[in-house]
Amino acid sequence: LWNATRFVLMNLPEDFQPGLPEESKLDMSDKWVLTKLNQVAGAMTDNLEHYEMGLAAAKINSFIWDVYCDWFIEIAKPRLNSGDAEQADTARRVLVYVLDKALKLLHPFMPFITEEIWQVLTDGESMIIVESYPVYDAKYDFADAVQFENVIDAIRAIRNRRTEMQVPPSKKARVCIETTEPELYRSTAVFFEKLASASAVEVGEKFDMPDAATAVTDSVRIFIPMDELIDKDKELARLKKEQEKVQKDLDFLSKKLSNQGFLAKAPEKLVEAEKAKLAKAQEKMDKIVQSMAALQ
């Protein structure tokens, strides 16, 4: 939370004026984070009224960590550095507005750090404890938020697929998005470039790419050319070594579990633990074989 605040403050000019800009200046990512914040405020109010303190604390923790820090700050960076003064100002004002409300929502659970940050954020003009607690406001439930959630799901799917293939974030690759909403993904291409290591983004209603890694969500199918992700020969060699290592584990565990003397003398918990190791090793082997088959 402190690091997030430092990032926000670093990007504020001396003449910065807080407050949300008019709705026409907000982009989909702004409307998404404002909707998420509004929903959290409403849910927390309900939790607190029913004395569900743990649930309320979990919701604001998840919002600050998963929505604000993990996603929105990263999403805002391209606009802050775009050279477009109006876009940068909008991003700053939304960042500050959401941080302001999040601090107020968190204050009952973490009073000292939120008060300290509030003093820095407002130059000591007031104390957070006397501020109004945020509540649900229907005007901040934007329909665009659902669309942007689909964009985030697509970025997350690409990241997961690259992680499965052990492709480092520094390795850029073209991303082809098959969708019935091409304009949505064309307008958000910059987020795929910044957050999903895309060297370029192509959007269309149909792609025929048999030699590509794929990622799927409930709204899109994504193709990433395999030759841009990995060197096939090197990856096959790496998988072959890993296969040999896992095969040794399988042979050792299978021999151990087929030894009647071990089964008769060993405690039941130990036998079950060894069986679990064998199942895990077999699962890993299956994945290696699948990966090798896909490459070949």
Side-chain angles (χ1 to χ4, degrees), residues 22-40:
E22 59 190 55
E23 186 178 334
S24 61
K25 293 183 179 180
L26 300 175
D27 76 358
M28 273 192 294
S29 65
D30 298 324
K31 293 177 180 178
W32 170 75
V33 75
L34 290 170
T35 299
K36 287 284 191 181
L37 175 66
N38 194 39
Q39 290 170 348
V40 166

Side-chain angles (χ1 to χ4, degrees), residues 4-292:
T5 304
R6 287 180 62 194
F7 171 80
V8 172
L9 292 174
M10 280 169 45
N11 284 279
L12 298 185
E14 290 185 8
D15 60 348
F16 176 72
Q17 296 297 318
L20 281 180
E22 59 190 55
E23 186 178 334
S24 61
K25 293 183 179 180
L26 300 175
D27 76 358
M28 273 192 294
S29 65
D30 298 324
K31 293 177 180 178
W32 170 75
V33 75
L34 290 170
T35 299
K36 287 284 191 181
L37 175 66
N38 194 39
Q39 290 170 348
V40 166
M44 287 182 68
T45 298
D46 183 67
N47 290 149
L48 293 175
E49 287 176 351
H50 290 86
Y51 301 98
E52 297 165 340
M53 308 304 176
L55 291 176
K59 286 183 174 71
I60 188 57
N61 175 71
S62 177
F63 174 81
I64 290 172
W65 183 262
D66 298 326
V67 176
Y68 190 69
C69 294
D70 194 29
W71 282 102
F72 188 66
I73 285 178
E74 296 304 313
I75 287 166
K77 286 179 181 178
R79 285 191 294 161
L80 292 172
N81 302 317
S82 66
D84 185 318
E86 185 172 274
Q87 279 196 26
D89 182 62
T90 297
R92 290 188 198 103
R93 290 167 72 178
V94 175
L95 279 165
V96 171
Y97 176 88
V98 176
L99 179 58
D100 171 293
K101 300 295 184 186
L103 288 172
K104 292 173 183 175
L105 289 169
L106 183 61
H107 184 65
F109 307 97
M110 294 176 65
F112 300 108
I113 186 66
T114 49
E115 186 68 67
E116 179 71 20
I117 293 174
W118 178 264
Q119 293 299 313
V120 174
L121 197 63
T122 62
D123 290 328
E125 292 179 0
S126 68
M127 293 186 69
I128 194 171
I129 196 169
V130 299
E131 294 289 318
S132 298
Y133 199 71
V135 294
Y136 177 84
D137 188 336
K139 75 177 181 180
Y140 293 122
D141 252 357
F142 297 102
D144 291 0
V146 176
Q147 283 189 308
F148 197 74
E149 193 76 47
N150 291 337
V151 173
I152 287 178
D153 287 344
I155 292 171
R156 189 181 286 117
I158 295 170
R159 285 175 162 182
N160 290 342
R161 190 71 181 93
R162 289 172 61 101
T163 299
E164 288 169 5
M165 298 177 68
Q166 298 185 352
V167 180
S170 57
K171 180 74 172 178
K172 303 288 184 181
R174 184 163 48 101
V175 168
C176 302
I177 303 173
E178 186 178 281
T179 176
T180 56
E181 300 177 283
E183 287 309 313
L184 169 63
Y185 293 92
R186 289 192 185 104
S187 67
T188 54
V190 64
F191 300 128
F192 288 88
E193 293 169 1
K194 297 294 182 182
L195 303 176
S197 301
S199 58
V201 179
E202 296 179 21
V203 182
E205 295 189 3
K206 189 68 178 176
F207 287 97
D208 184 15
M209 300 180 68
D211 191 22
T214 60
V216 180
T217 73
D218 57 3
S219 59
V220 298
R221 192 158 64 137
I222 301 157
F223 300 89
I224 311 170
M226 193 71 77
D227 57 357
E228 294 186 27
L229 283 176
I230 56 174
D231 182 313
K232 285 188 179 181
D233 292 336
K234 286 183 179 179
E235 182 63 9
L236 278 170
R238 186 191 69 78
L239 288 169
K240 184 67 177 173
K241 283 186 179 180
E242 196 170 348
Q243 184 184 37
E244 290 170 358
K245 182 181 176 183
V246 175
Q247 187 60 55
K248 287 180 181 178
D249 291 340
L250 285 171
D251 293 342
F252 173 77
L253 290 166
S254 296
K255 185 177 180 180
K256 192 173 187 179
L257 288 168
S258 62
N259 185 328
Q260 294 303 315
F262 168 75
L263 295 175
K265 296 177 182 178
E268 186 178 349
K269 282 187 178 180
L270 178 58
V271 174
E272 291 303 317
E274 294 301 293
K275 286 181 179 179
K277 286 181 185 178
L278 179 63
K280 194 172 182 179
Q282 186 59 58
E283 185 180 352
K284 189 173 183 180
M285 177 63 81
D286 293 342
K287 288 180 180 178
I288 292 171
V289 171
Q290 288 172 10
S291 296
M292 292 177 73

